[in-house]
Amino acid sequence: QQQVKQSPQSLIVQKGGISIINCAYENTAFDYFPWYQQFPGKGPALLIAIRPDVSEKKEGRFTISFNKSAKQFSLHIMDSQPGDSATYFCAANQDAGNNRKLIWGLGTSLAVNP
Amino acid sequence: KAGVTQTPRYLIKTRGQQVTLSCSPISGHRSVSWYQQTPGQGLQFLFEYFSETQRNKGNFPGRFSGRQFSNSRSEMNVSTLELGDSALYLCASSPRAGEINEQFFGPGTRLTVL
């Protein structure tokens, strides 16, 4: 059972457009929500993260929107560029005392057409 | 500063064999976590080692084991390989245990079980 559900599975956007990836979670104990970017042949790299005490966080062209009541969070990529073409993963942290571990979505493959 | 390195990058084994994967963390990082990445299941946490001790473990069978050496380098072993073990195995290092927000991933080892 997937505790973090990510959609869409794949996304094609034109250069300059907005890419939007959504995630929904079930466990209200999650307290940290990162997004990772993975290029082919590379491991995931932390892109941006948010905690549930804020509703939005922006870093450059990347914005996380967080809706605590709906248990949803999303990644917006403004002015999408071909270099943004990658797989994006959302995740959530399950903090059980010292046993912190990330629960991951299944990923979204983003292609930005030039 | 050099990133996380994993060896080998690619591996082909047959069912029933065992395999050992290696991970060298970023210099100064003492925590190493291992993940299995597959298209159907996404990234799943295997275990975390800190100061040569396993401090956290995911839901994988006992065929999956690991260890960490005094220099923080880590190895992961899978015994009696099954077809379903074919995956990208990622290692991530962080300065301290449970530092999910300061976790850096290596490029992974692609394991194919025939």
Side-chain angles (χ1 to χ4, degrees):
Chain A
Q1 184 180 359
Q2 203 69 25
Q3 293 190 55
V4 177
K5 295 182 180 179
Q6 184 173 346
S7 63
Q9 187 175 359
S10 62
L11 182 61
I12 300 174
V13 173
Q14 293 300 118
K15 180 182 175 182
I18 302 173
S19 303
I20 301 175
I21 305 171
N22 301 299
C23 282
Y25 63 97
E26 299 171 1
N27 189 341
T28 56
F30 288 154
D31 63 353
Y32 175 71
F33 302 88
W35 284 91
Y36 285 81
Q37 179 188 57
Q38 185 177 27
F39 292 105
K42 303 286 187 182
L46 179 63
L47 191 61
I48 186 173
I50 198 168
R51 295 196 179 273
D53 53 345
V54 297
S55 61
E56 186 175 283
K57 183 174 181 180
K58 184 176 181 179
E59 290 185 1
R61 297 184 294 109
F62 300 90
T63 299
I64 298 179
S65 296
F66 185 81
N67 186 329
K68 189 174 181 178
S69 60
K71 293 187 287 185
Q72 296 176 346
F73 58 110
S74 59
L75 175 69
H76 292 64
I77 306 175
M78 312 300 287
D79 186 27
S80 298
Q81 300 297 312
D84 297 331
S85 297
T87 300
Y88 292 81
F89 294 92
C90 63
N93 178 47
Q94 183 174 347
D95 183 8
N98 290 324
N99 294 327
R100 301 176 70 91
K101 61 181 179 182
L102 283 173
I103 309 298
W104 297 72
L106 293 182
T108 295
S109 178
L110 171 66
V112 181
N113 289 335
Chain B
K1 189 183 273 190
V4 178
T5 58
Q6 292 187 245
T7 57
R9 292 294 310 277
Y10 302 90
L11 207 49
I12 299 175
K13 291 286 186 179
T14 56
R15 279 182 300 172
Q17 288 187 310
Q18 75 164 14
V19 67
T20 299
L21 312 181
S22 180
C23 171
S24 293
I26 292 172
S27 177
H29 284 195
R30 296 172 59 197
S31 171
V32 173
S33 296
W34 288 90
Y35 293 84
Q36 181 194 65
Q37 184 177 13
T38 59
Q41 299 293 322
L43 278 92
Q44 294 185 289
F45 173 78
L46 280 154
F47 27 66
E48 179 188 13
Y49 284 87
F50 178 76
S51 293
E52 302 177 65
T53 301
Q54 186 183 91
R55 65 179 306 278
N56 202 353
K57 189 177 186 301
N59 298 322
F60 278 82
R63 300 185 296 108
F64 293 82
S65 63
R67 59 177 175 168
Q68 187 180 35
F69 302 95
S70 58
N71 61 358
S72 296
R73 190 177 71 84
S74 178
E75 288 181 348
M76 190 192 96
N77 185 274
V78 187
S79 63
T80 319
L81 284 166
E82 301 177 359
L83 295 179
D85 297 333
S86 294
L88 180 68
Y89 290 88
L90 294 161
C91 128
S93 76
S94 56
R96 291 161 292 278
E99 291 272 37
I100 290 172
N101 57 333
E102 291 190 54
Q103 198 173 65
F104 295 87
F105 284 83
T109 293
R110 172 74 62 184
L111 172 65
T112 302
V113 182
L114 302 177

